[in-house]
C-alpha cells in the first residue's frame, strides 16, 4: 500500500461549555490514501463535522485539541499556526460545506468568490484569473459560465450554489478534500446530479476525499471505504463492500436496520423496538372519505404588490400556478404520501387542506362538509379544526421555547375545547403523551431540555391531543437522525393502526414514504402526475418524472434496485 | 436610467407624507396656547383695536380652513411666510442657518463614524475581551451624559483650562473676516477662496460642538456595528472564507464588514436626521446659529411661520436622507432594489 495522504492518529478534541469540558472526539485514528473516497457516517453529535473542522483548523474558539496528530504532506496539521494553515487551506486541502446557500457570501458575485481562492494561492493576470474561474465553472457542468459567474447566490438554486461551493474547493487542485454533508437539504434529483459532478471532478483530479454524511445509502453509493462514528469514537472502519454485508459493530448494525431503504416493510425497521400491532384489514375502500379535495388551485403573482408609485399601471398578470387543479381523496385510517421536489406545490397543497391559506378555486370537503369558504382565520376557532391537525417539519423550530411540554400539548385544547375543566385537560394531555411514548416526567420540561426525538414526540402529541381524524405531516422526520426517524416512523404507524387516524405524509424522501404509506401521490409543477398504491408507483411508475425520481434515490450497496422486481 | 426613474417615483410617493406633515403642523400651531397678535402688538398695553389690526394683517381673523388653503398655496409657491422676530422671510432665515446645522451635523457624523466603526469592529472581533468592555463603557458614558453637560465639560477643559480651543461663540470668531457666501458651508467657502487661515479658524470652532454631538451618537452606531459584525462573523460564509485560506484581516474587512455595514446604514440615516433637528442643546451651548435654536426661539415667541417652515424642512430632509440611504443600501446589497 502506498503511503497515506492523511494519517490521523489518536485525535481527541474537547469543548469548553458552561457545564464543564465535554469530549467531542476520543482517540480517533484513520488513514486516507491518495485518490480514495472515505465516507464518515454517524448521527448528529458523533463528531463527524468536528473531525473535519479540526483537520482544517476551523474549530470554534471553545474547541481544543487535547491529543493526537494528523500528518499531511510531512506536516502535523494540528501543530500548525493559522498563518501556515492559511497557506494550505484552499490550496492543498479544502472543504465543501453543508447548506450551500449560507456558505456563500450573499453580496459577492459567485465568480468573484471563486476568484478569491485562486488569487489567494496562485495569483495571475486578470485574464488568466477569469479564464480559470470560467474553467472551474465548466468543470462543474454549469451552463453559460460567463453569465453565472456574475450571479449572486440568491439568484441561483441550492444545487447550483453547491456546485459553486465545490468549484471553490477544487479551484486550486487540492490533494485533500473534505465534504461535510454537501447534499443535505437538496432534492434527491439535485443530490444525484451534484454528487455525480462531485465524484467525477474528484476522480479526475485524483483527490483524496473525506465524505461526511448521515445517509448510509448515499455513502455506500459513492465511497470506497466507510468509517462509522458514534459519540466521538470510530466504531468501525471497513471497505464499503464489507460494511453492508458483514457489519461487525452492533452500532453499525443498528444504524443499518434504521435506514428506511434497508427494509421492505415498516415492521422490519429497527426490529428491536416493541412490535407494532398488526395492520387492520383493509376493508375501508368504500368508507366515507375523511377528506376530499376537488380541483384545488392556488396561484401566486410574480409581480410586486401595487404601491403608490405604480397604481396607475395595468396589473401585471404573470402568475405562478403553485397548485393546479388537484383532486385527492383520503379515507379513514389511510396513509397517503405526497412526494415531489421543492417548489412542486406540495407544501402549498397541504396548507390549503389545513386552511392555513385560502385556495383560489376548488373544493375541500372535510367529512363531507365543504370548508373552502371558511376564511383561514375563522377556521382556526371552529370545532372542525379538531378534525385536521398538523405536524411540522422541524420539531425544534415549531415548539415555543417558552412553553413547557405540558403547555405545548395543552395549547390546542384550550383553543378547540375551551369548556374542558382542568382535571379533564390534564388527563387528556397525559393520555396523549402516553400514546406517543413520552414519559410523563418530561411534561414540566422546556423544549431545550429535550432530545430531538422527544421534541418530535411532543409535536405529534400536540396534534393528537384533540383526537383528529386526519394528520397532515409536513416532512416530520427530515430533521431527525436515522435511528430517531425510525422510532418516529414506527410511532406514526402505531397511531394509525391503533387509532385509525388518516395521515397525509408530505415528504421528499421516497424511501420513507414507501414504508409508511398505502398510496403515493407524485406532484410535479403543481399538478399530480402519478397516483397509485406504493407498490404500483415504485415498481411500475407511469410518468417520466416518477422514474427519474426513483432513479435518483441512493441505494444501499447490495440492495436490489428499486423498481426491478 | 431605471434607477433615476425609481428615485423619482420614490420622491413622488413621499409627497402625501409631506402634505400630511404640513397640515399637521399647521393645525398644531393653531391649537397651541399663545396669541401671536397679542405678542406682536406694540406693547403689553396695546389697545384691542391695535391687536385686531395686527390679527387682520396676519390673516388670523379668517376661518381656519381658509387659512390652511392660503398656507398650502404659499408653501406650494415656495413662500413659507415671514418671521415676525427676525423680520426676514422664513426661506431666507432657513437658507442662512441650514448650512450651519448641516456642516456641524455632517462633521459630527463623520467623526462619530470614524470612532464607532473601528470600535465596534474591534469589540466584535474580540467579544468579551478588555477592548469589548472598554467600548461598552465609552458607549454607556456617551449615552448617559447629556450633550449640554459633555459640551460644557469640553469647553471647560479645552477652552478654560488648556486654552487650546477658541471661545465657543458661533461659527467664527467675531473679529475674523467671513468668507464670501458661496455655499454657506464655511469650510468649503474658505477652501474655495484659498483662505487657509480662515479655514483653520472655522475648523477650530467646529471641533468641540462636533465632538459633543459625536459622543452622543457614538453609542447607537458602535453598538449596532458590534452586533451586526458579531452576527456576520458567526455566519457560514465567514467559515468558508477562512477555509479558502484568506487572512484574518481580509476575512473581517472584505467578507465581514461589507455584510455588517447594511444594518449600520439604516441607523446612520436615523441618527443623521435626529441630529440635524435635535441638536438644539449643542447649538445653544456653543451659540451655534443653526436651525434648531432658530425654531426653538420662534416657538417660544409664538412665531408660527418659522416653526412650520422648520418642521417642513426637517420632513423634507428626512425623506431625502432615507432615499439616499436606500440608494446606498441598493449599492451595498445586490438583493435590495430601490423600490
Amino acid at each position: 500500500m502506498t503511503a497515506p495522504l492523511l494519517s490521523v492518529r489518536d485525535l481527541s478534541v474537547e469543548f469548553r461549555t458552561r457545564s464543564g469540558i465535554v469530549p467531542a472526539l476520543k482517540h480517533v485514528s484513520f488513514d486516507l490514501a491518495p485518490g480514495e473516497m472515505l465516507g464518515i457516517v454517524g448521527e448528529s453529535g458523533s463528531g463527524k463535522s468536528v473531525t473535519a473542522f479540526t483537520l482544517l483548523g476551523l474549530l470554534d474558539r471553545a474547541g481544543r485539541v487535547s491529543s493526537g496528530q494528523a500528518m499531511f504532506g510531512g506536516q502535523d496539521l494540528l501543530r500548525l499556526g493559522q498563518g501556515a494553515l492559511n497557506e494550505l487551506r484552499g490550496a492543498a486541502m479544502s472543504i465543501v460545506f453543508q447548506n450551500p446557500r449560507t456558505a456563500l457570501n450573499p453580496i459577492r458575485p459567485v465568480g468573484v468568490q471563486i476568484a478569491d481562492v485562486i488569487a489567494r494561492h496562485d495569483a495571475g493576470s486578470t485574464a488568466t484569473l477569469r479564464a480559470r474561474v470560467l474553467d472551474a465553472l465548466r468543470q462543474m457542468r454549469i451552463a453559460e459560465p460567463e453569465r453565472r459567474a456574475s450571479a449572486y447566490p440568491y439568484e441561483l438554486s441550492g444545487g447550483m450554489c453547491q456546485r459553486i461551493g465545490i468549484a471553490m474547493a477544487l479551484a486550486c487542485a487540492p490533494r485533500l478534500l473534505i465534504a461535510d454533508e454537501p447534499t443535505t437539504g437538496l432534492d434527491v434529483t439535485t443530490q444525484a446530479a451534484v454528487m455525480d459532478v462531485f465524484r467525477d471532478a474528484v476522480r479526475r483530479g485524483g483527490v483524496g476525499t473525506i465524505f461526511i454524511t448521515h445517509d448510509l445509502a448515499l455513502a455506500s453509493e459513492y465511497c470506497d471505504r466507510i468509517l462509522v462514528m458514534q459519540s466521538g469514537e470510530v466504531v468501525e472502519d471497513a471497505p464499503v463492500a464489507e460494511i453492508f454485508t458483514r457489519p461487525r459493530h452492533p452500532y453499525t448494525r443498528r444504524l443499518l436496520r434504521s435506514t428506511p431503504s434497508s427494509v421492505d416493510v415498516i415492521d422490519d425497521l429497527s426490529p428491536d423496538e416493541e412490535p407494532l400491532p398488526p395492520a387492520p384489514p383493509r376493508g375501508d375502500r368504500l368508507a366515507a372519505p375523511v377528506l376530499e379535495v376537488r380541483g384545488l388551485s392556488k396561484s401566486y403573482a410574480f409581480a410586486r404588490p401595487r404601491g403608490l408609485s405604480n397604481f396607475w399601471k395595468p396589473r401585471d398578470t404573470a402568475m405562478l400556478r403553485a397548485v393546479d387543479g388537484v383532486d385527492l381523496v383520503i379515507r379513514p385510517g389511510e396513509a397517503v404520501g405526497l412526494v415531489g421536489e421543492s417548489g412542486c406545490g406540495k407544501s402549498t397543497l397541504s396548507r390549503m387542506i389545513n386552511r392555513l391559506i385560502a385556495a383560489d378555486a376548488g373544493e375541500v370537503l372535510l367529512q363531507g362538509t365543504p370548508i373552502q369558504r371558511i376564511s383561514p382565520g375563522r377556521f382556526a376557532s371552529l370545532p372542525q379544526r379538531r378534525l385536521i391537525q398538523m405536524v411540522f417539519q422541524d420539531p425544534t423550530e415549531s415548539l415555543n421555547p417558552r412553553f413547557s411540554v405540558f403547555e405545548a400539548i395543552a395549547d390546542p385544547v384550550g383553543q378547540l375545547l375551551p369548556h374542558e375543566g382542568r382535571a379533564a385537560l390534564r388527563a387528556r394531555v397525559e393520555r396523549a403523551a402516553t400514546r406517543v411514548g413520552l414519559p410523563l416526567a418530561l411534561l414540566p420540561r422546556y423544549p431545550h431540555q429535550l432530545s430531538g426525538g422527544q421534541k418530535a414526540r411532543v409535536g405529534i402529541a400536540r396534534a393528537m391531543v384533540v383526537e383528529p381524524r386526519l394528520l397532515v405531516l409536513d416532512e416530520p422526520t427530515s430533521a431527525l437522525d436515522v435511528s430517531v426517524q425510525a422510532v418516529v416512523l414506527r410511532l406514526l404507524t402505531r397511531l394509525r393502526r391503533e387509532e385509525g387516524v388518516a395521515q397525509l405524509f408530505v415528504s421528499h424522501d421516497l424511501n420513507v414514504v414507501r414504508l409508511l404509506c398505502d398510496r403515493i401521490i407524485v406532484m410535479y409543477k403543481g399538478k399530480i402526475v402519478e397516483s397509485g398504491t406504493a407498490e404500483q408507483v415504485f415498481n411500475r411508475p407511469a410518468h417520466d418524472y416518477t422514474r427519474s425520481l426513483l432513479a435518483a434515490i441512493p441505494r444501499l450497496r447490495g440492495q436490489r434496485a428499486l423498481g426491478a422486481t | 436610467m431605471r434607477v433615476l426613474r425609481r428615485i423619482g417615483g420614490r420622491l413622488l410617493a413621499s409627497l402625501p407624507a409631506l402634505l400630511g406633515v404640513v397640515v399637521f403642523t399647521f393645525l398644531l400651531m393653531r391649537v397651541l396656547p399663545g396669541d401671536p397678535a397679542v405678542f406682536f402688538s406694540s406693547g403689553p398695553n396695546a389697545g384691542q383695536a391695535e391687536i385686531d389690526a395686527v390679527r387682520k394683517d396676519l390673516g388670523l381673523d379668517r376661518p381656519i380652513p381658509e387659512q390652511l388653503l392660503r398656507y398650502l398655496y404659499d408653501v406650494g409657491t415656495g413662500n413659507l411666510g415671514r418671521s415676525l422676530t427676525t423680520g426676514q422671510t422664513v426661506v431666507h432665515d432657513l437658507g442662512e442657518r441650514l448650512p450651519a446645522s448641516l456642516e456641524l451635523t455632517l462633521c459630527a457624523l463623520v467623526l462619530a463614524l470614524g470612532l464607532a466603526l473601528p470600535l465596534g469592529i474591534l469589540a466584535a472581533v474580540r467579544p468579551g475581551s478588555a477592548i469589548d468592555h472598554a467600548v461598552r463603557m465609552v458607549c454607556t458614558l456617551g449615552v448617559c451624559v447629556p450633550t449640554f453637560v459633555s459640551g460644557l465639560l469640553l469647553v471647560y477643559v479645552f477652552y478654560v483650562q488648556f486654552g487650546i480651543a477658541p471661545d465657543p461663540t458661533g461659527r467664527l470668531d467675531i473679529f475674523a473676516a467671513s468668507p464670501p457666501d458661496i455655499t454657506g458651508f464655511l469650510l468649503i467657502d474658505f477652501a474655495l477662496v484659498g483662505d487657509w487661515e480662515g479655514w483653520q479658524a472655522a475648523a477650530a470652532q467646529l471641533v468641540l460642538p462636533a465632538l459633543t454631538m459625536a459622543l452622543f451618537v457614538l453609542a447607537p452606531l458602535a453598538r449596532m456595528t458590534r452586533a451586526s459584525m458579531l452576527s456576520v462573523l458567526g455566519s457560514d460564509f465567514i467559515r468558508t472564507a477562512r477555509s479558502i485560506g484568506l487572512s484574518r484581516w481580509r476575512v473581517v474587512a472584505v467578507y465581514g464588514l461589507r455584510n455588517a455595514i447594511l444594518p449600520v446604514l439604516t441607523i446612520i440615516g436615523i441618527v443623521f436626521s435626529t441630529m440635524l433637528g435635535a441638536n438644539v442643546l449643542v447649538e445653544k451651548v456653543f451659540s451655534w446659529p443653526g436651525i434648531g435654536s432658530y425654531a426653538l426661539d420662534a416657538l417660544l415667541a409664538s412665531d408660527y411661520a418659522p416653526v412650520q417652515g422648520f418642521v417642513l424642512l426637517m420632513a423634507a430632509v428626512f425623506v431625502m436622507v432615507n432615499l439616499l440611504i436606500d440608494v446606498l443600501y441598493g449599492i451595498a446589497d445586490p438583493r435590495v432594489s430601490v423600490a
Side-chain angles (χ1 to χ4, degrees), chain A residues 89 102-103 105 116 120-121 154, chain B residues 236 240 242 244-245 255 259 334:
Chain A
R89 281 197 292 243
T102 57
N105 189 340
D116 278 343
R120 166 67 180 85
H121 294 289
Y154 76 98
Chain B
D236 287 357
T240 309
R242 289 179 60 204
I244 60 174
Y255 276 65
N259 280 284

Side-chain angles (χ1 to χ4, degrees), chain A residues 53 57-58 61 86 89-90 95 97 102-108 113 116-117 120-121 152 154 168 308, chain B residues 6 13 125-126 236-237 239-240 242-248 250 254-255 258-259 332-335 337:
Chain A
F53 293 164
L58 293 173
R61 236 179 260 283
N86 270 341
R89 281 197 292 243
I95 181 165
F97 291 101
T102 57
L104 295 175
N105 189 340
I107 60 169
R108 213 166 163 76
Q113 298 191 47
D116 278 343
V117 193
R120 166 67 180 85
H121 294 289
Y152 292 95
Y154 76 98
M168 271 173 85
L308 266 174
Chain B
R6 282 181 174 173
V125 171
R126 302 226 168 282
D236 287 357
F237 63 86
R239 198 178 51 195
T240 309
R242 289 179 60 204
S243 84
I244 60 174
L246 296 183
S247 67
R248 185 167 180 74
R250 236 182 106 74
V254 177
Y255 276 65
R258 256 201 72 187
N259 280 284
D333 188 343
R335 289 165 295 185
S337 64

Side-chain angles (χ1 to χ4, degrees), chain A residues 234-274:
Chain A
V234 174
V235 295
E236 188 147 2
D237 177 353
V240 71
E242 271 175 39
I243 205 156
F244 294 109
T245 47
R246 288 189 302 281
R248 288 194 305 272
H249 195 274
Y251 179 71
T252 315
R253 281 201 287 275
R254 211 167 75 223
L255 214 53
L256 269 173
R257 279 203 309 268
S258 308
T259 303
S261 58
S262 69
V263 293
D264 286 328
V265 286
I266 183 92
D267 305 72
D268 294 343
L269 195 67
S270 295
D272 308 341
E273 299 273 321
E274 190 189 343

